[in-house]
Amino acid sequence: MEKNALETDIQFLPGVGPKRAALLRKELNVNTVGDLIKIYPFRYIDRSRIIMIKDAAPDMAYIQIKAEVAEINLYGPKGTGIDAADIKFNTVKRMGVKVTDGTGYMEMVFFKGIKWMHSKLKPGESYVFFGKPSIFNGHLNMVHPEVDSIPDSRTDGSRKEGFMNSSMTGVYPGTERLRNGGITGKVMNRLMENALTMALPYIEETLPKYLMIEKGLVPVHFAVRNIHFPKDTAALEKAKYRLKFEELFYLQLSLLKQKYIRRRNDNGIRMPKVGEAFNICYSSLPFSLTGAQKRVITEIRDDMKSGHQMNRLLQGDVGSGKTMVAVLTALIAVGNGFQACIMAPTEVLAQQHFKNISGYLSGTGVRTALLTGSTKASERRGIHEGLEDGSIGIIVGTHALFEDNVIFRNLGLAIIDEQHRFGVEQRARLWRKSSCGLDPHVLVMTATPIPRTLAMTLYGDLDVSVIDELPPGRKPIQTIAASESKRFALYRFMKDQIRLGRQIFVVYPLIFESEKLDYRNLETGYEQIVQAFPYPPYRTAIVHGKQSNEEKKFNMDAFAAGRADILVATSVIEVGVDVPNASVMVIESAERFGLSQLHQLRGRVGRGSEKSYCILMTGHKLSKDSKHRIDLMCATENGFELAEEDMKMRGPGDLEGTQQSGLPVELNIASLARDGLILNDARQCAQNVLDKDPSLSQPENRLLAEEIGKDKYKIRDYSRIS
Ligand code: ADP
Ligand code: MG
């Protein structure tokens, strides 16, 4: 058989060779011709559209002008002119290139890469400049434009028909190293042309014909050709749409397929009743459940009695009452004769859960226990026995539950709080603990609001319940941004609040790359607070990740019990701590936190009946993004809104809750932040396909089965990972 050109080593693509191949490998992770073709332009320059300088204005987006270099000026550190004859480029701070197209003048400004650009630009010659026009000192300029020779000057009669018959030129992701190694934008275009000539015939259609017709999608050859060398804007749009749809469709198909497989297996533990303990607990609640809590509990009950294994994600903002839902869910398991475990990511949280849950359970007669790393050996033995003989109905714990000598009699339900902090393998170890041979039901709870498109992807194979309503009587939290100059006012305000009997959190950022420095910030901050709030009468506690568990617990308990007025803490230990009397959250260096994290921290206050405040302390000079984040925090308390915005600003990869779990499949062209509509459509379409052919065994779905059988779709399965 003829060799598939897509698999050809990139080194053997005409125009590459060993040196450039090494660069492409290192910089773009391109090993084969096929890999290269998957690198898509991130922008296109419309070569047919040139703006006259007289028509250019600073409010325009990126424009292209065609102009002759009139004058090149080099400036030293103090803005003094330097003579080009005796320049040392390391002393040149700025290069100004005055250009004209006959209708006016414009200055091109460079602060970096001056040496290279200086050697490229020749006075008297014309170039195409591409960039964003702006105004400086009343003159129009462009900072760091892209510079190209005039395309026409390359027309030497040998210009090929075909791919290059395109009015738009793709701009590929490039790096300084690629450019220094001779792989400039133009070279990239030529390599792509060679790659397509060689390998396009080997690219096979990946979507069944009926789907392409139904969705109006262009064939893969058309799409690949036009994503690199668009015939026109319409063709480019069609190409992009097809490629994005395909990417999102396959991702959703693979996720939904797992869900369908699970549905078909009747390996769920049937839990037909709610049981007595549930009813006792329910009727003795000090409040009535919110509508959202009731709805979610109904959804969970339906799962648990269905005979299928439950795999449900419960999303709800901080304070929305997820713990209550967890307790009632655990009681359903107990009421049907099974054990339940509730896993928390930290010791502090596990203790807190245990305390709250024990409160709700008093009177139900259900035996409950807490197992963490610091549980004493003597106590531990009793707990192990209770789990093994089934006398413990509900166990709350941390990673300690994973230890090998923890054996359940019949685990029927696992509730995982703040799921993303648990590793995949750890969860797998938990499932293996179910000795009754059936898969336990799984409820994953997260307080991190996740944008809908991201949830569909991260948890695409889970059913999702949302608590979108807070318990009544919550007062809005007033959020205020302040800079260092307001510190005295802040301390005065804090003292007033303490006098009113309130407690205060002061949180410092902890960013792992400079851990030492972070702890120094924390210590300095602590000293500052202790100085401003001396004992007596003020009492300050401190909690951070470097303390022993006893120290942490001691300080946390002191704060929770009201023996401390101020708790100084790092951001890593904060999640889930519930101190209703704490009504002020001060976040230091707030600009260093992401939106979701700020929102999480803010959720620590506003849990009691008092008016609460969140003070965002920031440095003086904020980047545009930081300022935007801080402004948004002051403007809204809606976690989902903030999460959507966070994703738009930072992309899905950096969002809270995704760093550790990661997206199941890396997206090459589609964006969860921008392509929500296509994602919806693709998911619906995948669902329709699976409804008709759940095992994808029909001949018309052969391509689909083949594609999702590939390694990259081997997505983790929350229900049984092993
Ligand atoms: P989450 O875990 O979602 O952050 P919690 O379950 O800790 O929220 O609930 C926060 C507080 O609200 C707790 O003090 C809890 O007792 C209270 N709470 C929960 N549900 C209700 C309700 N329906 N009505 C009034 N208060 C509630
Ligand atoms: Mg909670």
Side-chain angles (χ1 to χ4, degrees):
M1 217 177 93
E2 203 184 340
K3 193 166 163 19
N4 183 340
L6 288 166
E7 280 151 28
T8 302
D9 190 315
I10 192 66
Q11 177 181 341
F12 303 114
L13 180 72
V16 179
K19 262 204 188 127
R20 284 181 172 181
L23 256 180
L24 286 167
R25 244 175 243 132
K26 186 143 180 280
E27 297 295 308
L28 297 175
N29 198 18
V30 163
N31 293 301
T32 64
V33 171
D35 292 343
L36 184 71
I37 291 175
K38 288 221 180 74
I39 306 264
Y40 300 149
F42 61 91
R43 197 179 66 218
Y44 300 84
I45 302 175
D46 187 346
R47 288 296 184 195
S48 59
R49 208 171 128 78
I50 301 273
I51 299 271
M52 294 288 165
I53 291 179
K54 74 172 166 53
D55 297 328
D59 58 348
M60 287 177 164
Y62 286 84
I63 59 164
Q64 190 169 232
I65 65 163
K66 191 164 151 184
E68 186 184 309
V69 172
E71 205 177 295
I72 300 182
N73 295 303
L74 299 165
Y75 302 94
K78 296 198 178 91
T80 47
I82 297 182
D83 190 10
D86 53 32
I87 47 172
K88 290 191 198 70
F89 276 95
N90 51 12
T91 64
V92 179
K93 293 295 174 218
R94 177 164 63 94
M95 175 166 80
V97 181
K98 210 164 159 195
V99 305
T100 178
D101 63 357
T103 73
Y105 284 90
M106 195 188 267
E107 184 169 53
M108 304 296 151
V109 183
F110 299 87
F111 299 100
K112 281 187 283 184
I114 293 178
K115 190 172 178 181
W116 188 79
M117 199 46 85
H118 188 265
S119 68
K120 175 170 171 148
L121 294 173
K122 305 268 176 293
E125 298 231 339
S126 288
Y127 303 87
V128 173
F129 298 92
F130 177 87
K132 165 107 188 63
S134 55
I135 285 273
F136 185 74
N137 272 348
H139 295 289
L140 214 48
N141 72 11
M142 271 190 203
V143 178
H144 285 179
E146 263 169 40
V147 184
D148 258 311
S149 318
I150 303 291
D152 293 350
S153 64
R154 281 191 300 145
T155 331
D156 52 1
S158 71
R159 199 181 153 174
K160 274 176 275 172
E161 280 303 308
F163 297 134
M164 285 298 278
N165 189 10
S166 162
S167 64
M168 278 179 273
T169 306
V171 181
Y172 293 89
T175 63
E176 183 114 9
R177 282 208 199 95
L178 281 176
R179 225 177 42 200
N180 290 341
I183 306 182
T184 59
K186 221 174 308 169
V187 168
M188 203 52 184
N189 276 291
R190 211 165 50 235
L191 295 183
M192 207 55 89
E193 193 178 358
N194 295 344
L196 289 186
T197 310
M198 186 170 155
L200 195 61
Y202 292 89
I203 296 181
E204 287 172 19
E205 184 53 68
T206 52
L207 289 171
K209 199 154 229 143
Y210 79 90
L211 267 185
M212 289 171 42
I213 293 170
E214 187 186 313
K215 290 285 155 199
L217 302 171
V218 296
V220 70
H221 281 196
F222 180 97
V224 172
R225 194 163 357 103
N226 280 282
I227 198 77
H228 291 292
F229 301 102
K231 199 166 133 282
D232 50 37
T233 357
L236 174 60
E237 286 313 309
K238 283 184 195 157
K240 271 192 195 162
Y241 184 78
R242 138 94 207 202
L243 294 169
K244 286 180 178 181
F245 184 92
E246 173 181 1
E247 193 166 68
L248 295 170
F249 171 76
Y250 274 119
L251 178 56
Q252 292 301 323
L253 189 71
S254 63
L255 289 164
L256 287 169
K257 178 115 193 299
Q258 295 188 42
K259 197 160 143 181
Y260 274 67
I261 291 172
R262 240 182 358 243
R263 283 267 167 77
R264 263 199 335 240
N265 294 344
D266 271 335
N267 60 352
I269 305 172
R270 201 175 293 275
M271 300 188 178
K273 52 184 181 184
V274 294
E276 201 187 339
F278 180 101
N279 286 325
I280 295 173
C281 176
Y282 192 90
S283 57
S284 62
L285 283 180
F287 42 72
S288 51
L289 296 183
T290 62
Q293 282 171 317
K294 283 186 191 155
R295 192 189 64 238
V296 166
I297 288 171
T298 308
E299 287 166 356
I300 289 170
R301 270 196 60 191
D302 288 347
D303 282 353
M304 291 171 88
K305 65 183 176 199
S306 70
H308 304 296
Q309 183 201 12
M310 169 167 75
N311 275 282
R312 191 168 279 280
L313 172 72
L314 174 58
Q315 265 193 287
D317 224 332
V318 263
S320 60
K322 292 183 298 297
T323 310
M324 197 62 247
V325 171
V327 167
L328 290 170
T329 304
L331 286 176
I332 296 177
V334 172
N336 285 276
F338 289 89
Q339 292 167 296
C341 72
I342 300 177
M343 311 269 308
T346 66
E347 179 112 17
V348 170
L349 257 182
Q351 279 159 1
Q352 182 131 30
H353 269 321
F354 181 67
K355 198 171 127 238
N356 292 340
I357 289 167
S358 305
Y360 292 126
L361 291 181
S362 62
T364 61
V366 176
R367 186 174 163 207
T368 313
L370 172 70
L371 184 67
T372 69
S374 58
T375 306
K376 286 195 200 71
S378 52
E379 227 176 302
R380 208 171 265 258
R381 213 166 309 123
I383 293 173
H384 287 170
E385 279 167 21
L387 288 174
E388 212 166 336
D389 67 20
S391 60
I392 292 179
I394 299 176
I395 179 100
V396 181
T398 56
H399 297 76
L401 284 174
F402 293 124
E403 279 161 25
D404 285 335
N405 51 4
V406 176
I407 295 163
F408 288 86
R409 193 171 94 88
N410 57 359
L411 182 67
L413 166 73
I415 298 177
I416 304 177
D417 196 7
E418 307 292 348
Q419 166 272 337
H420 62 269
R421 302 204 175 192
F422 285 103
V424 166
E425 322 75 50
Q426 290 174 320
R427 268 175 271 146
R429 283 167 73 178
L430 189 62
W431 307 161
R432 277 184 233 121
K433 289 181 177 297
S434 159
S435 57
C436 60
L438 290 169
D439 298 337
H441 294 297
V442 179
L443 182 69
V444 172
M445 303 199 294
T446 172
T448 313
I450 299 171
R452 233 175 44 81
T453 55
L454 184 60
M456 261 195 237
T457 306
L458 267 182
Y459 306 110
D461 63 329
L462 301 189
D463 296 302
V464 178
S465 290
V466 182
I467 306 189
D468 50 5
E469 183 187 350
L470 291 181
R474 293 279 159 80
K475 298 212 176 97
I477 301 167
Q478 190 176 347
T479 303
I480 302 155
S483 63
E484 202 51 42
S485 59
K486 294 275 165 58
R487 189 165 289 281
F488 274 120
L490 169 70
Y491 286 169
R492 223 169 25 241
F493 169 76
M494 287 166 68
K495 284 176 180 166
D496 287 345
Q497 288 290 308
I498 294 172
R499 205 167 302 125
L500 289 170
R502 313 279 178 274
Q503 289 168 278
I504 299 173
F505 290 103
V506 180
V507 176
Y508 288 83
L510 198 56
I511 296 166
F512 295 95
E513 52 210 56
S514 60
E515 216 174 302
K516 265 206 189 123
L517 204 76
D518 286 334
Y519 278 106
R520 203 177 315 140
N521 281 344
L522 176 76
E523 274 161 22
T524 322
Y526 177 68
E527 273 159 29
Q528 204 178 1
I529 291 280
V530 173
Q531 251 172 38
F533 296 83
Y535 173 83
Y538 300 105
R539 299 155 305 171
T540 302
I542 180 167
V543 188
H544 57 76
K546 295 225 162 138
Q547 289 170 330
S548 70
N549 285 332
E550 292 86 68
E551 265 180 293
K552 259 185 257 176
K553 185 166 161 15
F554 180 84
N555 284 291
M556 270 311 303
D557 285 352
F559 189 65
R563 290 193 301 275
D565 308 296
I566 301 175
L567 182 71
V568 175
T570 55
S571 54
V572 274
I573 56 98
E574 96 292 335
V575 181
V577 180
D578 191 9
V579 182
N581 191 49
S583 64
V584 181
M585 166 65 67
V586 178
I587 305 177
E588 295 286 349
S589 306
E591 70 272 18
R592 289 173 68 186
F593 292 93
L595 266 179
S596 303
Q597 211 182 359
L598 287 172
H599 179 65
Q600 285 281 326
L601 288 168
R602 180 168 59 183
R604 296 303 125 215
V605 295
R607 302 194 142 207
S609 49
E610 303 304 333
K611 178 165 170 55
S612 298
Y613 302 87
C614 175
I615 320 286
L616 306 173
M617 293 299 285
T618 63
H620 283 292
K621 271 204 154 175
L622 293 186
S623 71
K624 213 172 109 210
D625 271 6
S626 304
K627 180 154 179 0
H628 185 55
R629 278 201 303 274
I630 302 287
D631 287 348
L632 272 170
M633 280 297 294
C634 295
T636 181
E637 264 194 73
N638 182 324
F640 284 93
E641 220 173 279
L642 291 168
E644 294 285 348
E645 201 59 36
D646 206 13
M647 181 158 87
K648 268 188 222 145
M649 290 175 73
R650 294 197 291 166
D654 289 331
L655 280 193
E656 217 61 22
T658 63
Q659 298 103 324
Q660 278 154 67
S661 42
L663 286 178
V665 171
E666 234 176 85
L667 297 174
N668 187 26
I669 181 165
S671 144
L672 293 180
R674 286 188 304 274
D675 299 318
L677 288 175
I678 305 180
L679 176 62
N680 276 341
D681 197 22
R683 184 168 173 94
Q684 192 57 53
C685 182
Q687 196 139 356
N688 293 344
V689 169
L690 287 169
D691 280 341
K692 289 194 201 105
D693 182 13
S695 56
L696 299 178
S697 52
Q698 300 294 326
E700 74 267 23
N701 288 330
R702 185 186 53 88
L703 284 177
L704 303 184
E706 258 174 45
E707 179 69 22
I708 66 167
K710 288 185 184 165
D711 274 352
K712 68 170 170 171
Y713 296 108
K714 296 242 177 324
I715 299 161
R716 70 210 126 90
D717 177 346
Y718 290 94
S719 67
R720 43 165 55 252
I721 300 153
S722 43

